[in-house]
Amino acid sequence: MAAWGERLAGVHGVLLDISGVLYDGGEDGGTPIPGSVEAVARLKRSQLKVRFCTNDSQKSRRELVGLLQRQGFDISEGEVTSPAPATSLILKERGLRPHLLIHDGVRSEFDQIDTSNPNCVVIADAGEGFSYQNMNKAFRVLMDLEKPVLISLGKGRYYKETSGLMLDVGAYMKALEYACGIEAEVVGKPSPEYFRLALKEMGVEAHEAIMIGDDIVGDVGGAQRCGMRALQVRTGKFRPSDEQHPEVKADGYVDNLAEAVDLLLQHAIK
Amino acid sequence: MAAWGERLAGVHGVLLDISGVLYDGGEDGGTPIPGSVEAVARLKRSQLKVRFCTNDSQKSRRELVGLLQRQGFDISEGEVTSPAPATSLILKERGLRPHLLIHDGVRSEFDQIDTSNPNCVVIADAGEGFSYQNMNKAFRVLMDLEKPVLISLGKGRYYKETSGLMLDVGAYMKALEYACGIEAEVVGKPSPEYFRLALKEMGVEAHEAIMIGDDIVGDVGGAQRCGMRALQVRTGKFRPSDEQHPEVKADGYVDNLAEAVDLLLQHAIK
C-alpha cells in the first residue's frame, strides 16, 4: 500500500461518521470512544473542513447533537447530515403521506408532515418499536397500496451498543421488501445521493474529501463509489474480518479516530 | 389452456396445503373454509391418495391435527408432513444444537434436542415471539459462530389470519440473512427436498401427483419445479394478481378446495 502521504494528499474535507467513531451508543446515552473528543477538536482547529454524516435514525438531529455536546464534542446541528430531515424534505416534495415505523426520539423531525390516510411507509431504526405488531401494521399498509412505496432511513445491517450488537433498520427493511416483493428507497449511507448531499453541505468536491467510518460497506464502500477516499476505524462495529472484505478495501485502516486525525494533520495539510 | 380432463389425467395422489386451503387460522383456532371439510372427506373416500403438506411451524403436528379434527376434518398425525419434525431429524443427524426462535406451540417437537451451547439457530413462525429482543438474541448467537448456520422452517412471505395478513417466517429469515451476510437452509415448501419427502411419505411419483395450495410461489411454483402439477385456490392468501404472476403459472385456478375436488373426482379418475 502507498505511503500515507500519497494516500492523503489533496484532502480538504473530512466526513465523520458518528456512532462507532465518535461514541458507542447505549441506553444511558453511550460513551465517547477514547481520544475522539480531542480528535474532533483538533480537526476543527485545522484548515480541513469537517462535517458529520450519520445514519442515526433513532434520534432527532437536535437530540443527537445535545447528547454529543454533553459528552464534550464540539458539534452543532448545522454541521450534521442525518437521514430524518433529508426524508422529511423528500416527503414534502413528492406529496407523500407516510405511515411512520420510527423511534419516538425522531418523531419531531416529521412534525410538519401529514400522516393521514398513508400512501407510503417510512421505516427508521425504531429500536423496540420493531415489534411483531408494528411490523405487521407497516406490512398491511404497504399491501393495501396499489404501488407500495417503502422509504428506509439507511440500510445498516447492525450496530454496536454498549450492551452488544443490535439489528439495524436494514434487516427490517429486507423483511418488508421480501414480504411485499418490492425494493425500498434508501435515504442514508451508502446511497450516493446522500453522500452528495453531505459533500454539497460541506462545500468540498468528492475527490478532495475523505470519509471516516466504522462500517466497511456503508461508510467505506459507499464513499468510495462516490469518488471519495475512505478510512475504516477499528472501533464501533469494526470486525477484524473487515480488513479482508471480499469487495471493499479501505484507503487505510486506523485504530481509532485519534489515529486518523494524527495522520490527516500530518499528511493532508502540508 | 387445455381442458381439465387433459390437465388432470394420470393424477394418483393429492398433496393438500392446510392453512388457507382447509381453514383460515386465527387466535380462536380459526375457521374452516366453506366446503373444505366435506371436500377432504370426499377425496379420502376416492381412489386418490391424499397427504397434507404444510409449512405451519407455530404448532406441533399433534396440536395442528387436533385443531383440524375439532373443526370436523378427517385427518390424522401420520398423514401430515410438517417442517418441525423434519427439522428435528436433521438436527439429530448433523449433531446441531439449536438456539430456537420458535413459537411455544411447536416447542414439544424439539424435546429430544440438546439446546445447550448452541451452534446454529432454528427459526420458525414465532408469532409474537418475533420481538425486537428475540431477534437481537438470535442475531448475536449467529454472529458469535465462526460459520453461522441458520435453519428456517419454511420461507413464507405472509399468511392470512382472521384478523388480517401476517408476516411469515420468511420475512424474519431475510432480516437475519441480510444482517449476518449468510443464506438460510429452508426446511419446508418450496424446498425440493421437502416436497420429495412428502411424495415419498405418500408413495406417489411426482408426475402422478398434484399440489393444491393458496401460495402461488411456495405451493404452486415449488411443486411444479419438482415435476408435480399444481392448482391454486382463490382462498387464504390468494390475491387476484397471482393469476398474472410473472414467473409462476398454475395448472389451474379454482375458487376453493371444493371446486378442486369436484374437478379431480370428475377428471383424474376415469
Side-chain angles (χ1 to χ4, degrees):
Chain A
M1 201 178 252
W4 281 109
E6 202 172 316
R7 281 182 271 162
L8 301 179
V11 165
H12 291 308
V14 183
L15 282 185
L16 294 179
D17 180 28
I18 292 179
S19 175
V21 176
L22 268 53
Y23 83 126
D24 279 320
E27 281 185 10
D28 51 353
T31 49
I33 289 169
S36 286
V37 169
E38 172 61 16
V40 170
R42 285 160 65 212
L43 254 192
K44 293 186 80 171
R45 285 197 302 267
S46 79
Q47 300 158 47
L48 292 165
K49 289 201 178 186
V50 181
R51 190 166 180 87
F52 302 90
C53 182
T54 180
N55 267 13
D56 188 317
S57 65
Q58 270 209 354
K59 292 178 274 298
S60 69
R61 190 155 52 169
R62 173 178 304 220
E63 206 184 335
L64 176 62
V65 164
L67 184 155
L68 291 166
Q69 286 173 341
R70 286 192 296 280
Q71 293 182 1
F73 286 100
D74 176 0
I75 185 171
S76 64
E77 272 189 69
E79 296 171 315
V80 176
T81 301
S82 76
T87 302
S88 189
L89 274 176
I90 291 170
L91 294 171
K92 276 183 207 157
E93 279 170 13
R94 290 167 52 185
L96 290 169
R97 299 180 307 275
H99 170 81
L100 298 168
L101 176 46
I102 63 175
H103 197 280
D104 281 340
V106 79
R107 216 164 280 275
S108 62
E109 301 276 14
F110 297 93
D111 274 352
Q112 307 303 316
I113 303 290
D114 178 9
T115 56
S116 64
N117 188 22
N119 57 9
C120 76
V121 167
V122 167
I123 178 175
D125 177 13
E128 308 232 346
F130 283 130
S131 66
Y132 180 64
Q133 288 74 13
N134 286 348
M135 283 293 287
N136 279 331
K137 198 165 170 187
F139 168 61
R140 289 174 188 172
V141 171
L142 287 169
M143 291 296 272
D144 278 343
L145 298 173
E146 204 183 333
K147 290 201 172 176
V149 173
L150 173 62
I151 296 178
S152 183
L153 277 62
K155 60 171 189 175
R157 301 194 297 147
Y158 57 89
Y159 56 92
K160 196 184 166 196
E161 296 235 317
T162 40
S163 61
L165 296 180
M166 317 292 272
L167 287 171
D168 199 357
V169 61
Y172 291 94
M173 175 195 86
K174 285 288 171 188
L176 291 173
E177 282 188 340
Y178 175 72
C180 301
I182 59 171
E183 200 169 325
E185 303 173 28
V186 176
V187 181
K189 302 174 283 185
S191 147
E193 291 84 358
Y194 191 72
F195 278 113
R196 282 195 282 268
L197 173 67
L199 287 170
K200 191 178 160 198
E201 289 172 329
M202 180 162 64
V204 171
E205 299 287 323
H207 71 276
E208 298 175 328
I210 194 161
M211 173 81 211
I212 302 177
D214 64 335
D215 185 325
I216 186 70
V217 174
D219 293 325
V220 174
Q224 288 176 333
R225 270 202 309 281
C226 282
M228 299 169 64
R229 281 165 272 184
L231 304 181
Q232 188 181 19
V233 288
R234 296 191 187 97
T235 54
K237 79 177 77 168
F238 167 84
R239 290 158 66 93
S241 59
D242 291 347
E243 297 194 33
Q244 281 83 44
H245 193 281
E247 282 148 39
V248 183
K249 186 162 182 56
D251 294 279
Y253 302 87
V254 291
D255 284 343
N256 47 42
L257 180 60
E259 189 188 353
V261 171
D262 282 346
L263 290 164
L264 280 166
L265 297 188
Q266 198 180 337
H267 297 290
I269 309 172
K270 296 284 183 181
Chain B
M1 201 178 250
W4 281 108
E6 202 173 312
R7 282 184 271 164
L8 301 179
V11 167
H12 291 309
V14 183
L15 282 185
L16 294 179
D17 179 29
I18 292 179
S19 175
V21 175
L22 268 52
Y23 83 126
D24 280 320
E27 280 185 11
D28 50 353
T31 49
I33 289 168
S36 285
V37 168
E38 172 61 16
V40 169
R42 285 160 64 211
L43 255 191
K44 295 186 78 171
R45 284 196 303 266
S46 79
Q47 300 158 45
L48 292 165
K49 289 202 178 185
V50 181
R51 190 164 180 89
F52 303 90
C53 182
T54 180
N55 267 14
D56 188 317
S57 65
Q58 270 209 354
K59 292 176 273 298
S60 69
R61 191 154 50 169
R62 173 178 305 220
E63 205 184 334
L64 176 63
V65 164
L67 183 156
L68 291 166
Q69 286 173 340
R70 285 192 295 281
Q71 293 183 359
F73 286 101
D74 176 1
I75 185 171
S76 65
E77 272 190 69
E79 296 171 315
V80 176
T81 300
S82 76
T87 301
S88 189
L89 275 175
I90 291 170
L91 294 171
K92 276 182 206 158
E93 280 169 14
R94 290 167 52 186
L96 290 169
R97 299 180 307 276
H99 170 82
L100 298 169
L101 176 47
I102 62 176
H103 198 279
D104 281 339
V106 79
R107 216 164 279 275
S108 62
E109 300 277 15
F110 298 94
D111 274 352
Q112 307 302 316
I113 303 290
D114 178 9
T115 56
S116 64
N117 188 22
N119 57 7
C120 76
V121 167
V122 167
I123 178 176
D125 177 15
E128 308 231 347
F130 283 131
S131 66
Y132 180 65
Q133 289 75 12
N134 286 348
M135 283 294 288
N136 278 331
K137 197 166 172 187
F139 168 60
R140 290 174 188 172
V141 171
L142 287 168
M143 291 297 273
D144 279 343
L145 298 173
E146 203 183 334
K147 290 201 173 177
V149 173
L150 173 62
I151 297 177
S152 183
L153 276 63
K155 60 169 188 176
R157 301 193 295 147
Y158 58 89
Y159 55 91
K160 196 185 166 195
E161 295 235 319
T162 41
S163 61
L165 296 180
M166 317 291 273
L167 287 171
D168 199 357
V169 60
Y172 291 94
M173 175 194 88
K174 286 287 171 188
L176 292 173
E177 283 187 339
Y178 175 71
C180 301
I182 59 172
E183 200 169 328
E185 303 174 28
V186 176
V187 180
K189 301 174 284 185
S191 148
E193 291 83 359
Y194 191 72
F195 278 113
R196 282 196 280 270
L197 173 67
L199 287 169
K200 191 178 161 199
E201 290 172 328
M202 180 162 67
V204 171
E205 299 287 324
H207 70 278
E208 298 173 328
I210 194 160
M211 174 80 210
I212 301 177
D214 64 336
D215 186 324
I216 186 71
V217 173
D219 292 325
V220 175
Q224 288 176 333
R225 270 201 309 283
C226 282
M228 299 169 64
R229 281 165 272 184
L231 304 182
Q232 187 181 19
V233 289
R234 298 191 186 97
T235 54
K237 79 176 77 167
F238 168 83
R239 291 159 65 94
S241 60
D242 291 347
E243 298 194 33
Q244 280 84 44
H245 193 280
E247 282 148 39
V248 183
K249 185 165 184 53
D251 294 280
Y253 302 88
V254 291
D255 284 343
N256 47 44
L257 180 60
E259 188 187 353
V261 170
D262 282 345
L263 290 164
L264 281 165
L265 298 187
Q266 198 181 335
H267 297 290
I269 309 170
K270 296 285 183 180

